[in-house]
Amino acid sequence: MEDHIHYVSFLLKSVAAVCTIIAQTLPQTQHSNHTCSAMSLACSEDRTDNASVASVSIIGGGIAGLACASSLVEFGMDVRLFATGQRGVGGLLATRHFFAGESDAAIPCDTACQLFSASHPRFRELCALWEERGWVRRWPGRAVFLRPDGSCRDTQNSREVFVADGGMEYLARQLAVGISSAGASVRTQMWATAAERTRDGRWDVRWDHWSMGVSDYLVVAHSGKCAKRITSSPGLERCHAALKGVQLGVMWCVCFVFADRLGLPFEIGIVEHGRVLSWVGNQTEKLRAGSGSPSTSECWALLSSNEYGWKNKVPQEFVPAGKAESVAADMLAAFASLAKAQGCELPPVQRQYVQLWGAGPPSNTLQEADAVFDPITRAGVCADWCVSPCVEGAVLSGLILADLIWAHHARAPGAARAHHPPGQPRFEPSRRASAIAAFPGWLDPSTSSSSTVAAARRPVLLPGKATIGESCSSAGSRASRWRRAAHTTAPLEVSPAQIPERQQRRWARACGVRNDPALASDKTERPSTGPCLDKCLQMAVTVDELQPGMLLLRGLLTESAQQWVADAALEAGGAGKGPRPRSTGFYRAARGGGLELNAAQEGRGSFVRHLSACDPLFSEICLRCFAAAAAVASPGTLPELDAQACAFNFYEEGSRGIPWHRDIDETNEGLRNGTGRPVVSISLGDDGDFQYRAQRFDDPVQSLRLRSGDVLVFGGPSRGIPHAMTRVFPGTRAGTLRMVPGRLNLTFRHHV
Ligand SMILES: O=C(O)CCC(=O)C(=O)O
Ligand SMILES: [Fe+2]
């Protein structure tokens, strides 16, 4: 047995081996005390008494990672999931929203996975649960194979087929919410760059120079280039070898909103032997059931064939000018001829959107295992390509890896023995023509029903499975234990006090405050005018890198600094101490006499002032805030600061905020090429809801509650984020801040 322990393992696809592990895992509690917590992805016994809580880091927030995380949470493990995608969780469960035509309702469109089927009992049980919760619904639509000669033939689908209401991404988001509300930490837009083994054999997940936390187990639920890089560290050889063998497809998706209904007699068309297209899907029909809104336009998603994807491969981060247009034209032409064969002329296009999936659906499948797990180094991989290129395959792989980790952690006697000598991982081309498939057995007409997920695989079923919906006596207490554990780890900490002076001066020069004596002697206290500069910022804060170039530093300003900034800003804007406002800054003369806020209809006053006309402490505080953000920003994402002016906004109680806009001004060029100089925004007083979109006005809305002392920095690729202040919450500031009712915001930027 000792010999075997030295072997890195693949779990053989053998029911016997797997069941041995699981059966031996829980000898004492097997038939008693069933539990089933909120997620219920895998109901389990209450096993936490058997073993201490172990931690698992999961890199990848696609459906495989989410399934694995959910199951591990069920097992009582302390889970941290790092989603690497630009747009948060979901991976190929991706949905975009568009505005087109007259309608002001957003049109959802699935840009990769269109729907999924369920055949394996374990997955079907899960789908039933998701359905009960309203996360997915059965899809009654018609899917056909489209032949090159223009004929079409119905798919023989005897399986359950699902879509997520509002788009596939919804399912992923609901899973993520469920996982985090069960106490796990789910962090989005975390670009893990490496995983290193610590001296005590644990896993330190790194994002360049930061540690994002150390854990007992590591799961790579992510494919593509970065996954290969992450697994090139010692201890991950097995994972790396498997990842090297997988062939990921390249897929373009083009979404078209047509001005009128097409009247095609199907909702999903699977294009047989398509040179350009592989799938076409009517999003309006597919996603609208339940909403009932009559609409004349129709949105279709067209997915390219893998062959076309490879021929037209370009870097996903940088699609050359004109490429998206030429791909859209090719795909539209291919669709037009398919439609024509059905007797349909395409109506005019109102809107189009192009997306490239550089690490798209896999075209081969690992033969030896449903998941990769190395019990020696406690690391594993789960992915659709381990089982079957579809949602079901991804979920099963995630669940199986969770089973293996749990079995290992619980020291199942058979766990170490169940592994086999290493060899080169074997892959075979997926028998299903396209991974987006989600319809195992549908795509390749020659595939017999015996090659469905259910028949081909022997996934692990936990013994003594509880009935879904059964109450869980101890889930509450376990959840709070994990929550505490998750909160004690603050992976992105920055200590502003330690930022080198040299760097601070460089920024100071960029802002033109070089000659300010206060900065030259920045250790000196300024008792008459302001706080000690060294005490302006908290010693250490947690930073959220919301997306590249956009960082939120919660509560960065100390109370004394908040008080000074609030007093000085209100004073500068004419709302300072005194019997009544002065007609500068926030106020203007009202028509009927007296003064009013200068954006009175919004309950807001605003003005911009050059920094040379402001108290120098403003620039110094701004510089330090920026320095704190720059110290932790991903390399190359945050250009240097060159703020020369400050925009002051004062929102009175009941203010309607500030409408959607971009801070365009001087940086048009930077906005276009993603190198815009950063904006530093400081919030004071009452809480406010800051809404933003990742890049464009049709990206989904994200929301942040900004509180007094918070600092938001956005530059580089995030310089052009559309944003708005949608609501101010009266009376929510900390009692220690003495300020007129309302909210203040200071936005430092180049100049306006
Ligand atoms: O008040 C805020 O947080 C945002 C202000 C803003 O967007 C602006 O002044 O451009
Ligand atoms: Fe703004």
Side-chain angles (χ1 to χ4, degrees), residues 79-94:
V79 175
R80 302 104 192 240
L81 182 132
F82 303 106
T84 48
Q86 277 278 358
R87 297 164 36 77
V89 293
L92 291 171
L93 297 187

Side-chain angles (χ1 to χ4, degrees), residues 353-698:
Y353 167 79
V354 184
Q355 181 164 346
L356 170 63
W357 293 97
S363 48
N364 60 355
T365 313
L366 182 64
Q367 293 305 295
E368 291 104 327
D370 291 325
V372 180
F373 181 59
D374 177 347
I376 311 294
T377 62
R378 298 195 299 267
V381 170
C382 57
D384 50 1
W385 49 262
C386 294
V387 176
S388 170
C390 59
V391 172
E392 177 164 16
V395 168
L396 289 174
S397 181
L399 297 180
I400 288 160
L401 184 55
D403 293 344
L404 288 170
I405 290 175
W406 171 255
H408 182 268
H409 174 60
R411 296 206 173 76
R417 270 201 306 275
H419 306 302
H420 292 264
Q424 275 309 305
R426 267 194 323 111
F427 279 85
E428 283 199 0
S430 300
R431 304 223 353 238
R432 296 113 204 154
S434 158
I436 280 307
F439 283 96
W442 264 27
L443 294 175
D444 179 351
S446 64
T447 307
S448 70
S449 61
S450 67
S451 70
T452 62
V453 169
R457 308 293 166 186
R458 293 155 294 269
V460 183
L461 280 171
L462 292 175
K465 229 166 160 351
T467 324
I468 287 166
E470 206 168 299
S471 72
C472 167
S473 53
S474 61
S477 59
R478 277 193 302 167
S480 61
R481 191 152 81 233
W482 306 330
R483 198 165 291 129
R484 268 203 306 282
H487 278 195
T488 50
T489 56
L492 307 183
E493 288 232 316
V494 59
S495 175
Q498 282 159 17
I499 293 159
E501 229 166 82
R502 207 162 21 97
Q503 213 168 1
Q504 296 196 21
R505 287 189 196 293
R506 216 171 65 222
W507 288 316
R509 271 200 302 280
C511 294
V513 290
R514 181 178 19 176
N515 298 325
D516 188 78
L519 190 76
S521 58
D522 59 6
K523 293 270 185 299
T524 49
E525 196 147 349
R526 295 171 39 133
S528 55
T529 50
C532 167
L533 268 171
D534 284 339
K535 293 187 187 143
C536 277
L537 306 191
Q538 298 292 358
M539 289 301 288
V541 291
T542 305
V543 184
D544 245 329
E545 183 152 332
L546 300 162
Q547 58 183 50
M550 183 177 185
L551 299 103
L552 174 62
L553 299 97
R554 282 258 178 239
L556 179 64
L557 257 60
T558 57
E559 277 178 16
S560 58
Q562 288 180 40
Q563 189 66 59
W564 181 84
V565 177
D567 288 344
L570 289 167
E571 174 70 29
K577 295 183 196 81
R580 56 192 195 85
R582 283 169 279 127
S583 64
T584 52
F586 300 128
Y587 297 90
R588 66 182 175 205
R591 273 216 189 119
L595 294 173
E596 63 177 5
L597 288 170
N598 56 21
Q601 66 287 12
E602 288 164 19
R604 181 171 62 91
S606 91
F607 68 99
V608 179
R609 191 163 293 174
H610 200 273
L611 288 177
S612 59
C614 297
D615 189 308
L617 260 179
F618 280 121
S619 336
E620 290 163 17
I621 290 173
C622 161
L623 282 174
R624 280 157 197 258
C625 292
F626 173 71
V632 290
S634 300
T637 54
L638 206 57
E640 294 209 340
L641 185 71
D642 69 345
Q644 316 248 322
C646 180
F648 296 80
N649 273 299
F650 172 56
Y651 304 83
E652 67 178 7
E653 268 190 345
S655 163
R656 291 169 56 195
I658 196 166
W660 282 94
H661 66 284
R662 278 178 160 144
D663 289 352
I664 344 181
D665 55 67
E666 77 287 358
T667 49
N668 272 337
E669 184 58 25
L671 270 181
R672 267 197 298 277
N673 61 22
T675 58
R677 299 298 191 120
V679 169
V680 174
S681 149
I682 297 179
S683 292
L684 296 157
D686 287 339
D687 296 358
D689 263 351
F690 180 88
Q691 300 207 330
Y692 68 99
R693 299 168 194 263
Q695 253 177 336
R696 296 156 48 125
F697 278 93
D698 58 9

Side-chain angles (χ1 to χ4, degrees), residues 89-383:
V89 293
L92 291 171
L93 297 187
T95 309
R96 286 284 177 135
H97 292 85
F98 310 111
F99 293 93
E102 304 283 284
S103 165
D104 55 4
I107 304 167
C109 179
D110 287 326
T111 58
C113 178
Q114 297 296 312
L115 26 75
F116 60 90
S117 59
S119 52
H120 189 276
R122 193 174 180 183
F123 186 58
R124 287 176 58 191
E125 197 177 358
L126 198 52
C127 291
L129 180 79
W130 292 345
E131 193 182 6
E132 201 178 289
R133 296 188 174 163
W135 298 353
V136 300
R137 67 178 164 78
R138 272 157 218 268
W139 177 71
R142 181 176 180 219
V144 298
F145 289 114
L146 294 167
R147 295 214 169 111
D149 65 5
S151 64
C152 70
R153 152 179 88 83
D154 274 291
T155 50
Q156 303 289 310
N157 183 44
S158 55
R159 286 171 218 108
E160 290 158 4
V161 177
F162 295 90
V163 294
D165 259 333
M168 286 296 180
E169 206 169 88
Y170 179 72
L171 170 61
R173 284 177 194 249
Q174 290 303 318
L175 285 170
V177 168
I179 295 163
S180 46
S181 57
S185 116
V186 177
R187 298 180 66 104
T188 56
Q189 306 198 331
M190 303 292 288
W191 285 277
T193 50
E196 288 167 12
R197 276 194 101 189
T198 61
R199 275 161 188 244
D200 58 353
R202 302 173 78 217
W203 287 105
D204 185 0
V205 178
R206 315 284 300 177
W207 180 350
D208 293 326
H209 55 283
W210 304 320
S211 167
M212 303 206 288
V214 175
S215 57
D216 302 309
Y217 291 88
L218 177 74
V219 168
V220 178
H222 183 47
S223 305
K225 268 194 306 222
C226 12
K228 278 186 216 152
R229 194 175 58 233
I230 291 165
T231 54
S232 52
S233 315
L236 295 172
E237 293 80 3
R238 226 46 207 146
C239 299
H240 190 67
L243 277 156
K244 258 174 63 183
V246 67
Q247 289 159 8
L248 295 179
V250 177
M251 184 174 77
W252 287 90
C253 169
V254 188
C255 308
F256 289 104
V257 181
F258 295 102
D260 208 346
R261 296 280 170 90
L262 274 59
L264 284 170
F266 56 83
E267 278 177 40
I268 294 286
I270 302 160
V271 187
E272 279 184 3
H273 313 294
R275 199 184 50 79
V276 178
L277 295 176
S278 66
W279 277 58
V280 297
N282 180 341
Q283 307 299 304
T284 309
E285 277 307 315
K286 180 167 76 97
L287 300 176
R288 80 195 218 102
S291 78
S293 66
S295 154
T296 50
S297 58
E298 198 164 89
C299 176
W300 282 75
L302 316 183
L303 303 178
S304 79
S305 69
N306 192 28
E307 178 197 339
Y308 180 86
W310 275 104
K311 264 197 206 137
N312 291 277
K313 185 173 160 59
V314 292
Q316 196 177 335
E317 322 70 52
F318 180 72
V319 176
K323 188 71 196 171
E325 288 74 11
S326 76
V327 165
D330 287 351
M331 289 175 64
L332 186 65
F335 186 43
S337 73
L338 283 177
K340 197 162 180 192
Q342 306 296 319
C344 154
E345 284 288 328
L346 294 185
V349 172
Q350 283 182 324
R351 173 110 172 68
Q352 77 182 39
Y353 167 79
V354 184
Q355 181 164 346
L356 170 63
W357 293 97
S363 48
N364 60 355
T365 313
L366 182 64
Q367 293 305 295
E368 291 104 327
D370 291 325
V372 180
F373 181 59
D374 177 347
I376 311 294
T377 62
R378 298 195 299 267
V381 170
C382 57

